[in-house]
Each structure stands twice: as C-alpha cells, then as structure tokens.
Amino acid sequence: MEIKVVKDILGANEQIARKNRQLFDSNRVFVVNVMASPGAGKTSVIMETIKRLKGKTRVGVVEGDISSSLDAEAISKEEVPVVQINTGGECHLDANMTATALGDLPLKDIDLLLIENVGNLVCPAEFSLGEDLRILISSTPEGDDKPFKYPLMFHEADVVLINKIDLLPYLKFDVDAFSKTIKGINRKVEIFPVSCTTGQGIDEWVDWILGRMGQK
Amino acid sequence: MEIKVVKDILGANEQIARKNRQLFDSNRVFVVNVMASPGAGKTSVIMETIKRLKGKTRVGVVEGDISSSLDAEAISKEEVPVVQINTGGECHLDANMTATALGDLPLKDIDLLLIENVGNLVCPAEFSLGEDLRILISSTPEGDDKPFKYPLMFHEADVVLINKIDLLPYLKFDVDAFSKTIKGINRKVEIFPVSCTTGQGIDEWVDWILGRMGQK
C-alpha cells in the first residue's frame, strides 16, 4: 500500500514536470535544478554564476527553502527576478511547487532559470521539476566518501561542482579519488572543482553552462 | 488524503517507538539519536565519544545509512557492538527499522546506545526512535544561518554539537550569534563547540552525557 502511494506521487510529479518543461521550452528558458547538502554552497554558486553572466544572458532564480527567505533576499540584490518557495516542512521541491512559482516569473525575459532546491542529499533526487540539467554541489568539508553514502544523488546529477576547494589544505579530501568514485557511479557526469571564496574554477563552470545553453 | 497517510505513518511510528523505549528501559540502556547534515561529522563524534568512554561505560552503536557500511566498519575497529541498518533509499531512520536492528544487539551488555541517523537536516526530526536524547551535529563550514533554514531540527534537538571549530579561522562563522539563534528557537538546548580533529570540547561533551546517563 505504501509503495502504491509513493508510485502515485512520483507519477503525478512526472506529469506536472512534463508540463513545466513544455512551458520552459516554449519560452526558450534553460532550467537548472541546483541540489546539495545544507551549507554546501548552493546560494553562493548561484550568486557567483549570476555575477559572471551579467550582460551575457538573462538569469532568473527560484529559491526553495523549508522556511525563511534569506537566500532570496541575498539574490535579489543582484537585480535578477527571484521567487521564493517555502515548502512548509517538505524536504524537497516538486514539480507542482515549481509550477506555482513560475506564474510569478517573467519567463519571456529569462534565458537561464536556476532553481535552488532544499538542502538535502536524498529526497530531491527523486523529483523532477522539468529541468534541463541537474547540478549537485558537493563541498570538500563534507568528506570524499559521500558518493558511497548518497549514490542516487550522484547518479542523477549531470554536473558535480566540488565546492570550497580553498579549504583543501585544512582537510583530508582527495579530489582525484572523489572524482574517480563519482565517475564510477555516473560515467557521463561533468566535474568542476570550484571555490566561491577565491573564485577558482567558476569561470570554467560558467563557460560550460553557456555552451550547454547554446546546444538547446 | 495525503495528510491522512502522513498522520498514519507518524502515529504508527510513535507506537513502535514506545515499544523500543520500554525495551531500552527494561535493559537500562540510555539511547541517543545522532542527527546531522551529510558530512557534519556524526561518525567522527561517535568514534571520539567511544574512545573517551572506554572503561567508563559500555557503548553500542546502530549505523543508519541509505547504502554502504563504511561507517559501521570504521566503528567496529573500536571493539564495540555495532549493527548496520541500510534504509534502501529512505531518507531517515524510523522506529521500526530501529526495532529490527535491536534484535542483533546485546542490550543487556550496553549502557549507552548511539544511533547514527541518515545524513539529513529535515526528515529525521519527525521520527522518534524511542531515544532518550536527540543530538544534532552542526558543522561550521555549513554556515551560521542553518537554524533559520532548518528550524524543526534545531527545535527538536536536546543538544547541539558545533563541530569542526578547528576550521573557524578559515570561515565566516560567528559561534556566539549561531548559539544565540539556536537558543532563540530552543531555549533548553545544550550547546558544545567541538573539534574531532583537535579534540577540543569533546571531554566536556562526554562528561555531560555521562551526567545525563546518571540521571536516568
């Protein structure tokens, strides 16, 4: 019975995600679902990405949080359209919450929509929002064993950003071993080591995403 | 309908949690549910706690992971009884999974049972396992805004361990402001700043838990 309920929920989510995707496509919006543990740096990566894309492409943001609108307030300073979703306890965004937020966004004036999911390495991986690309931000202080422990999230990601590489001198974290583990789970994944504090690697990531947008 | 399903699940969980608690009480086992984000240091805190309690009290461990048994293998080197629960995708432990694991533990020979939950700042807060105490490990690289964003977890915790304080010189993290925010959400919470790398603060935490065990 429980399995049936879960299947129904995921099936219904998939239907709404398809509608979202049609809406994105008809407005020529490239959509990225940004996932990570709490505190891995989702908002920082989004902020750095927006800064580097100014004058190159028009960005919009959806901020998913259980409660609070701290991140949306920070991002609105970059003068891009931003909509806050408060899930009210739910541990992930779903397609329906996303659909509700889209009505408040000027989709015709957006080329790239960054959707910041709730901080969680488990549940968001199961719910499509209708996105073109799933990025996972995994930060060095979390440790290099995370792909073994949260395999679905690493399997579902199109891109992994290894964030906070400025902290590497103070941590036991093997970037090569970590990258190899991820590639073992997910052969096609792209990996970018980055630091939002020093800016290292951010240009490479931004160039890559612009390239991907051009292919749509 | 969905709400009813969720209520049923939580009600059924509470019933099994009560049975777990009776079993713990009849065996005079003090039980701690250890919760945190992925990579905040749950396993490291458990390892350091076990090392300092050697010869003082008899410890047992339940390791909750979606998949893998890396942490259970690490902990078994400390020569304490340890049982692995693989949730097979579920984002939290529940009372029933815990009950299943208890059959494999020598409860009569254990004074303190540490249950490491799945790394997740959202879902585990809703599911009692029958524990005496809930501890939340919040690590400095995650940032000092986390209580605003995951308020239920901070509200439900009896103790917050602020872990990785050895990294403070390299981060923007205000321990006083963070502690004040937590106390604003949860007036009775105990807070211990610790580092599993340098050992700072661990003795204070271990002395405190021994004191709490003595009160049961």
Side-chain angles (χ1 to χ4, degrees):
Chain A
M1 177 62 189
E2 198 189 344
I3 291 166
K4 189 173 177 309
V5 172
V6 171
K7 270 190 187 162
D8 286 353
I9 291 171
L10 288 175
N13 185 75
E14 198 48 53
Q15 281 190 357
I16 303 170
R18 271 199 291 271
K19 281 189 187 167
N20 289 349
R21 184 182 291 265
Q22 284 164 7
L23 188 64
F24 296 142
D25 288 350
S26 65
N27 284 280
R28 299 175 178 272
V29 186
F30 189 85
V31 181
V32 180
N33 181 359
V34 182
M35 300 181 285
S37 294
K42 292 181 294 302
T43 312
S44 301
V45 165
I46 288 173
M47 300 270 278
E48 293 306 309
T49 304
I50 292 170
K51 282 176 190 164
R52 278 166 183 80
L53 286 174
K54 265 185 187 154
K56 292 183 183 169
T57 195
R58 299 168 302 171
V59 183
V61 177
V62 173
E63 272 298 317
D65 283 292
I66 291 170
S67 62
S68 95
S69 56
L70 291 176
D71 294 343
E73 287 159 27
I75 283 167
S76 67
K77 289 179 190 152
E78 298 298 329
E79 296 180 349
V80 297
V82 51
V83 174
Q84 176 76 52
I85 300 176
N86 280 138
T87 67
E90 279 296 313
C91 54
H92 57 272
L93 292 182
D94 63 27
N96 192 44
M97 294 180 208
T98 307
T100 310
L102 296 181
D104 293 324
L105 276 174
L107 286 180
K108 286 190 177 164
D109 303 326
I110 292 173
D111 305 309
L112 173 64
L113 181 64
L114 302 170
I115 305 179
E116 180 173 340
N117 218 310
V118 177
N120 185 329
L121 271 195
V122 190
C123 318
E126 297 197 54
F127 290 84
S128 169
L129 312 179
E131 70 272 16
D132 295 287
L133 204 70
R134 295 177 156 203
I135 81 160
L136 167 58
I137 300 170
S138 193
S139 66
T140 58
E142 294 170 62
D144 52 20
D145 60 347
K146 290 300 154 293
F148 295 111
K149 303 179 77 176
Y150 305 90
L152 181 65
M153 185 61 89
F154 283 88
H155 184 266
E156 294 295 311
D158 299 298
V159 184
V160 173
L161 266 61
I162 308 176
N163 192 24
K164 307 192 191 182
I165 55 168
D166 54 294
L167 295 175
L168 282 173
Y170 319 112
L171 302 169
K172 284 182 196 160
F173 186 100
D174 185 332
V175 173
D176 289 339
F178 184 66
S179 304
K180 218 170 168 177
T181 307
I182 301 172
K183 289 273 185 185
I185 293 171
N186 181 348
R187 198 170 48 83
K188 289 182 180 171
V189 72
E190 295 283 338
I191 300 176
F192 295 93
V194 302
S195 164
C196 294
T197 305
T198 66
Q200 201 184 334
I202 303 283
D203 283 338
E204 287 82 349
W205 147 246
V206 169
D207 286 347
W208 184 88
I209 190 83
L210 279 173
R212 273 300 296 265
M213 288 172 65
Q215 290 167 24
K216 188 172 174 175
Chain B
M1 179 59 190
E2 198 190 343
I3 291 165
K4 189 173 177 304
V5 172
V6 172
K7 270 190 186 161
D8 286 353
I9 291 170
L10 288 175
N13 186 74
E14 198 48 51
Q15 280 189 357
I16 303 170
R18 271 199 291 271
K19 280 189 188 168
N20 289 349
R21 184 181 291 266
Q22 283 164 6
L23 187 65
F24 296 142
D25 288 351
S26 65
N27 284 281
R28 297 174 179 273
V29 186
F30 189 84
V31 181
V32 179
N33 181 358
V34 182
M35 298 181 286
S37 294
K42 294 180 293 302
T43 312
S44 301
V45 165
I46 288 173
M47 300 269 279
E48 292 306 310
T49 303
I50 293 170
K51 282 177 189 163
R52 279 166 183 79
L53 286 174
K54 264 185 189 154
K56 292 183 182 171
T57 196
R58 299 168 301 172
V59 182
V61 177
V62 173
E63 273 298 319
D65 283 292
I66 292 170
S67 62
S68 95
S69 56
L70 289 176
D71 294 345
E73 286 159 27
I75 284 168
S76 68
K77 289 180 190 152
E78 297 298 328
E79 296 180 350
V80 297
V82 52
V83 175
Q84 176 76 52
I85 301 176
N86 280 139
T87 67
E90 278 295 313
C91 54
H92 58 271
L93 291 183
D94 64 27
N96 192 43
M97 294 179 208
T98 307
T100 310
L102 297 181
D104 293 324
L105 276 173
L107 287 180
K108 285 189 178 166
D109 302 326
I110 292 173
D111 304 310
L112 173 64
L113 180 64
L114 302 170
I115 304 179
E116 181 173 340
N117 218 310
V118 177
N120 185 330
L121 270 196
V122 190
C123 318
E126 297 197 55
F127 290 84
S128 170
L129 312 179
E131 69 272 18
D132 294 287
L133 204 71
R134 294 176 157 204
I135 81 161
L136 167 57
I137 301 170
S138 193
S139 66
T140 58
E142 294 170 62
D144 53 19
D145 60 347
K146 290 300 152 292
F148 295 110
K149 302 179 77 177
Y150 305 90
L152 181 65
M153 186 61 89
F154 283 88
H155 184 266
E156 294 295 311
D158 299 298
V159 183
V160 173
L161 266 61
I162 308 175
N163 192 24
K164 308 193 190 182
I165 56 168
D166 54 294
L167 295 176
L168 282 173
Y170 319 112
L171 301 168
K172 283 182 196 160
F173 187 99
D174 184 332
V175 173
D176 289 339
F178 184 67
S179 303
K180 219 170 167 176
T181 307
I182 301 173
K183 290 273 185 185
I185 293 170
N186 182 348
R187 198 170 50 81
K188 290 183 180 171
V189 73
E190 296 282 337
I191 300 175
F192 295 93
V194 302
S195 165
C196 294
T197 306
T198 66
Q200 202 184 333
I202 303 282
D203 284 338
E204 288 81 349
W205 147 248
V206 169
D207 285 348
W208 185 87
I209 191 82
L210 279 173
R212 273 301 297 267
M213 288 173 65
Q215 289 167 28
K216 185 170 175 176

